[in-house]
C-alpha cells in the first residue's frame, strides 16, 4: 500500500525509512523552567514506535532573553538543564531507530506576555501590535476550573517594538547557540521556525514587516533575517546535521492569513531562499492544496520548491494514505508532514500502511486537545495561572 509514502528518502544528511514526518506540535508539558520531562520522552517515543520516519519537536525556545519564550510550560534548549531533559527524549526516540530534530522558535510579538520579563516589550520586525488570539484550549474542564462561561476570551498582546540590526544579529546568534545545545542533547538537526505568526514569520510576511532597511521592503529583504539565522546555525553545527526552515502564510493570530501577491510572492520567497543554508524548506498550513490565491491553483509549496530548488516538506490536512500519496503524485514535496492525526493516534503510520480505514474524526480543537484514542497523553490541563493579567508591567 502507498508505495511512494513508504519509500525511503534522504533529506540533507538524514536517511528516512519513509516519507512521513511528525509535525512540530506544542504540548506545554515541560517543567515551569522549560526543562523537558520524562512524560515528553514517553510521548515522542510512542510516536517513534508508531512508524514515523522523522520527528520534528514542538517549538522550543533557544535563549531566555528578548522575549524568545512564547508559552508557559514550553520546553527550552537554553541551558544545560534543558539539554539533560531533552536527552531523555532523543535517546528514547533513537532507540527506536527514528531521527528527531528540534524546532527552534522565537515568539516575537505573540509571545505570551506572562513569559516576558518585567518591563520588557515584545519584539518584532516592526513596531506593530498583534490583534490577539484565543490562546487557551476550549477544554471544558479547564474552563470550569477557571470559572469561565462561554467562549474563551481573546488574549491581547502589548505593542511590540522593532529589533535593531544589532539585536536581530543577537537573536540569530541565539538560534545558533540553541542549535549547538540541541546537537549536544542528541538531536539530528534543527528546524528554524519561520512560520505560524512568530518572529521570523513576522519578518517574512509583508503585513508585519514594515522595515525600510535591508531586512524589509521586498521578498528578498524579508527573508534576509531567516537566511542569517540559517547561516549562523549552519556555521555552528556543521554540514552533518539537518536544517529545515518552516514557512507559512497564516499565523496563530491570523488563521486565514494570506501572503499579499499569493503564489507570486511565494515564488519570490523561494527564489530568495535558493542560496539559504537550510537543507530543506517546510510548508506549514492546515490544507496544503489551498493556496488562498484566487489567481492561481499552484500549491504554495510547489511554487516555493520550484523557485528555490530545495526539497519541500509539506504539511496540512494529510489524514490518510491516499492523502499522502496524492501529495507525492503531485510532485509537490519529498515528505508529508502530519500533525493532528499523530496527536490522536501514535500508530497512525502503521495503521494507514495496513490499508485499514482510519476512523478519522472531525478536525476540531477538541479532537486535538482530547484525542479520541490516545487518552494517556492528552493536552495539558495544569497550566493554571488564574490571576493572569496581560498587562506586562504587572508580570512577576
Ligand atoms: C495544538 C497544536 C500545536 C501546534 N504546535 C506547533 C508548534 O509548536 N510549531 C509549529 O511549527 N507548528 C505547530 N502547530 C501546527 C502543526 O505543526 C501543523 O502545521 C498543523 O496541525 C496542520 O497540520 P495537520 O493538518 O497535519 O494537523 C501546532 C498545531 C496544533 C493543532
Amino acid at each position: 500500500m502507498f508505495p511512494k509514502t513508504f519509500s525511503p528518502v534522504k533529506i540533507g544528511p538524514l536517511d528516512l525509512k519513509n516519507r512521513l514526518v511528525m509535525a512540530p506540535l506544542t504540548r506545554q508539558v515541560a517543567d515551569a523552567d522549560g526543562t523537558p520531562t520524562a512524560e515528553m520522552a514517553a510521548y515522542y517515543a510512542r510516536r517513534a514506535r508508531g512508524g514515523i520516519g522523522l520527528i520534528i519537536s514542538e517549538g522550543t525556545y533557544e535563549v531566555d532573553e528578548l522575549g524568545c519564550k512564547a508559552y508557559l510550560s514550553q520546553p527550552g534548549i537554553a541551558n544545560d538543564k534543558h539539554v539533560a531533559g531533552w536527552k531523555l527524549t532523543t535517546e528514547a526516540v533513537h532507540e527506536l531507530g527514528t531521527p528527531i530534530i528540534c524546532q527552534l522558535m522565537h515568539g516575537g510579538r505573540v509571545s505570551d506576555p506572562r513569559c516576558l520579563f518585567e518591563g520588557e516589550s515584545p519584539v518584532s520586525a516592526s513596531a506593530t501590535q498583534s490583534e490577539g488570539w484565543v490562546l487557551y484550549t476550549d477544554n471544558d474542564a479547564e474552563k470550569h476550573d477557571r470559572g469561565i462561561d462561554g467562549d474563551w476570551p481573546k488574549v491581547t498582546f502589548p505593542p511590540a517594538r522593532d529589533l535593531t540590526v544589532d539585536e536581530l544579529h543577537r537573536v540569530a546568534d541565539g538560534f545558533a547557540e540553541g542549535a549547538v545545545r540541541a546537537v549536544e542533547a542528541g538531536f539530528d538537526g534543527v528546524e528554524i521556525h519561520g512560520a505560524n505568526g512568530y518572529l521570523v514569520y513576522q519578518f517574512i510576511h509583508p503585513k508585519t514587516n514594515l522595515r525600510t532597511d535591508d531586512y524589509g521592503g521586498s521578498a528578498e529583504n524579508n527573508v534576509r533575517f531567516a537566511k542569517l539565522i540559517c547561516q549562523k546555525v549552519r556555521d555552528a553545527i556543521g554540514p552533518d546535521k539537518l536544517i529545515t526552515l518552516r514557512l507559512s502564510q497564516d499565523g496563530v493570530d491570523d488563521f486565514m492569513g494570506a501572503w499579499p501577491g499569493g503564489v507570486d510572492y511565494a515564488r519570490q520567497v523561494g527564489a530568495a531562499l535558493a542560496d539559504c543554508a537550510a537543507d530543506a524548506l517546510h510548508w506549514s498550513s492546515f490544507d496544503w492544496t489551498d493556496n488562498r490565491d484566487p489567481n492561481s491553483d499552484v500549491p504554495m509549496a510547489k511554487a516555493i520548491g520550484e523557485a528555490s530548488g530545495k526539497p519541500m516538506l509539506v504539511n496540512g490536512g494529510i489524514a490518510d494514505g491516499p492523502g499522502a500519496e496524492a501529495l507525492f503524485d503531485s510532485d509537490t514535496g519529498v515528505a508529508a508532514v502530519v500533525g493532528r492525526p499523530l496527536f490522536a493516534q501514535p500508530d497512525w503510520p502503521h495503521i494507514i500502511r495496513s490499508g485499514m480505514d482510519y476512523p478519522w474524526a472531525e478536525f476540531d480543537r477538541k479532537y486535538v486537545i482530547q484525542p479520541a484514542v490516545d487518552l494517556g497523553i492528552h493536552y495539558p490541563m495544569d497550566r493554571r495561572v488564574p490571576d493572569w493579567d496581560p498587562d506586562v508591567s504587572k508580570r512577576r
Side-chain angles (χ1 to χ4, degrees):
M1 299 290 280
F2 314 122
K4 292 181 181 155
T5 304
F6 290 98
S7 62
V9 64
K10 190 176 180 72
I11 303 179
L14 294 188
D15 289 309
L16 312 191
K17 67 186 170 202
N18 61 43
R19 291 164 185 258
L20 295 174
V21 175
M22 178 172 165
L25 295 163
T26 287
R27 307 308 296 159
Q28 293 178 263
V29 287
D31 287 341
D33 69 355
T35 305
T37 58
E39 180 187 355
M40 288 166 60
Y43 162 81
Y44 283 109
R46 184 67 188 83
R47 270 100 194 137
R49 188 146 60 85
I52 201 81
L54 168 70
I55 293 175
I56 306 176
S57 81
E58 63 209 88
T60 299
Y61 64 96
E62 56 276 357
V63 283
D64 203 5
E65 59 184 79
L66 278 170
C68 183
K69 182 174 181 177
Y71 293 100
L72 293 178
S73 304
Q74 181 188 11
I77 188 78
N79 57 47
D80 290 347
K81 206 166 165 230
H82 296 165
V83 170
W86 272 120
K87 274 188 181 157
L88 301 177
T89 291
T90 59
E91 283 166 11
V93 167
H94 283 158
E95 246 172 57
L96 292 154
T98 309
I100 177 168
I101 63 173
C102 183
Q103 188 186 60
L104 302 177
M105 67 172 278
H106 188 305
R109 69 179 201 159
V110 294
S111 282
D112 184 329
R114 289 170 294 180
C115 298
L116 296 170
F117 293 114
E118 184 92 44
E120 191 180 40
S121 296
V123 298
S124 187
S126 301
T128 61
Q129 184 170 17
S130 168
E131 285 171 11
W133 61 299
V134 178
L135 187 65
Y136 291 112
T137 66
D138 59 355
N139 183 290
D140 290 342
E142 195 177 343
K143 262 190 187 173
H144 173 266
D145 290 350
R146 290 172 187 262
I148 293 174
D149 281 332
D151 294 339
W152 282 105
K154 207 173 187 186
V155 173
T156 54
F157 297 93
R161 66 175 182 82
D162 55 340
L163 284 169
T164 65
V165 171
D166 280 353
E167 282 174 331
L168 65 85
H169 274 264
R170 173 61 210 132
V171 172
D173 287 335
F175 273 90
E177 291 161 13
V180 169
R181 283 187 288 269
V183 169
E184 195 189 335
F187 283 103
D188 301 292
V190 294
E191 172 160 283
I192 308 305
H193 198 346
N196 305 5
Y198 303 108
L199 180 65
V200 180
Y201 163 105
Q202 292 157 27
F203 275 78
I204 296 172
H205 203 310
K207 174 191 70 177
T208 37
N209 188 340
L210 314 174
R211 297 177 79 103
T212 52
D213 61 5
D214 289 348
Y215 293 90
S218 64
E220 196 183 352
N221 283 356
N222 292 357
V223 300
R224 199 179 300 282
F225 179 47
K227 287 171 74 172
L228 178 73
I229 294 170
C230 290
Q231 191 58 57
K232 283 184 186 265
V233 169
R234 176 62 76 205
D235 292 346
I237 65 174
D240 301 335
K241 301 292 169 195
L242 178 64
I243 301 176
T244 64
L245 170 64
R246 196 172 215 222
L247 304 165
S248 71
Q249 53 181 348
D250 44 40
V252 283
D253 58 347
D254 186 12
F255 266 102
M256 295 314 291
W259 278 342
V263 169
D264 276 349
Y265 186 71
R267 287 209 175 92
Q268 292 168 36
V269 165
L273 289 172
D275 61 349
C276 163
D279 298 292
L281 305 176
H282 176 181
W283 181 251
S284 162
S285 67
F286 282 91
D287 176 358
W288 70 271
T289 63
D290 177 11
N291 66 10
R292 296 186 180 167
D293 180 344
N295 301 313
S296 170
D297 56 7
V298 177
M300 299 298 259
K302 197 173 177 89
I304 295 172
E306 283 171 357
S308 65
K310 300 270 185 194
M312 294 300 298
L313 314 185
V314 184
N315 162 250
I318 297 162
D320 52 23
E325 213 59 12
L327 169 72
F328 301 120
D329 288 343
S330 75
D331 226 5
T332 300
V334 297
V337 184
V338 180
R340 290 164 294 179
L342 285 161
F343 266 142
Q345 177 49 275
D347 288 324
W348 182 82
H350 288 324
I351 291 173
I352 65 160
R353 188 173 201 175
S354 76
M356 274 169 63
D357 271 350
Y358 180 65
W360 190 240
E362 221 182 310
F363 261 15
D364 67 8
R365 287 170 66 80
K366 275 216 168 60
Y367 180 63
V368 169
I369 296 153
Q370 295 184 312
V373 188
D374 183 27
L375 288 170
I377 301 176
H378 51 68
Y379 206 78
M381 296 203 285
D382 59 350
R383 290 173 295 111
R384 296 188 191 115
V385 185
D387 57 349
W388 176 49
D389 187 321
D391 182 347
V392 181
S393 66
K394 297 183 188 159
R395 182 172 175 255
R396 285 184 186 157

